[in-house]
C-alpha cells in the first residue's frame, strides 16, 4: 500500500505537444519508488535501469504507435507518477488486445 501511495505522489512533467514522447521526472519517480522500500539504492538503480530501457524502446517505436494508444497510455502512466515502464506495458497490452479483437464476433 505504501508503494502505491508513493507512486501517486510523484509529479510528472507536462507532455510535449505533438508526436514527441512525453517527458517524465524519472529520477523523482524512482526516488519515490525507492522511498517505499526505505530508500533502497538497489530499488532506485533497478528503477532507473528499467525506465531507461522502456524509454529507449518507446522512443524507437513512438511514431508507429497509434495516437489514441499513446494518449491513453500516457494517462495511465501519469496516474502513477509518470513511468515509461508502465507506459510501455500499457502500449504492449493495448496493441495485443487490438490484434486479438480483430474479427471478434458475438454469437447468440
Amino acid at each position: 500500500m505504501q508503494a502505491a501511495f508513493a507512486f501517486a505522489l510523484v509529479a510528472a512533467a507536462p507532455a510535449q505537444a505533438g508526436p514527441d514522447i512525453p517527458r517524465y521526472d524519472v529520477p523523482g519517480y524512482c526516488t519515490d519508488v525507492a522511498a517505499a522500500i526505505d530508500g533502497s539504492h538497489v530499488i532506485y538503480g533497478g528503477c532507473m535501469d528499467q525506465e531507461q530501457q522502456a524509454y529507449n524502446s518507446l522512443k524507437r517505436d513512438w511514431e508507429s504507435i497509434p495516437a489514441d494508444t499513446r494518449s491513453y497510455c500516457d494517462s495511465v502512466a501519469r496516474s502513477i507518477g509518470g513511468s515509461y515502464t508502465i507506459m510501455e506495458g500499457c502500449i504492449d497490452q493495448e496493441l495485443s488486445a487490438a490484434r486479438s479483437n480483430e474479427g471478434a464476433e458475438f454469437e447468440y
Side-chain angles (χ1 to χ4, degrees):
M1 185 61 73
Q2 221 176 12
F5 181 70
F7 291 142
L9 291 178
V10 180
Q16 295 178 354
D20 294 335
I21 191 167
R23 298 194 54 98
Y24 302 139
D25 176 14
V26 174
Y29 170 77
C30 289
T31 295
D32 287 346
V33 169
I37 316 293
D38 296 324
S40 169
H41 295 286
V42 172
I43 298 298
Y44 179 82
C47 177
M48 291 290 287
D49 288 344
Q50 286 182 328
E51 290 297 311
Q52 186 67 64
Q53 289 174 20
Y55 175 82
N56 292 346
S57 177
L58 287 166
K59 186 175 178 181
R60 181 188 65 238
D61 299 333
W62 193 248
E63 297 278 329
S64 68
I65 300 167
D68 59 337
T69 301
R70 292 189 313 232
S71 178
Y72 170 71
C73 290
D74 178 40
S75 296
V76 170
R78 286 178 188 283
S79 74
I80 61 94
S83 167
Y84 295 110
T85 303
I86 297 299
M87 177 184 267
E88 182 181 43
C90 175
I91 289 170
D92 289 346
Q93 290 177 9
E94 284 294 311
L95 296 178
S96 177
R99 285 188 299 273
S100 294
N101 291 341
E102 288 178 4
E105 294 182 25
F106 185 80
E107 296 180 29
Y108 289 95

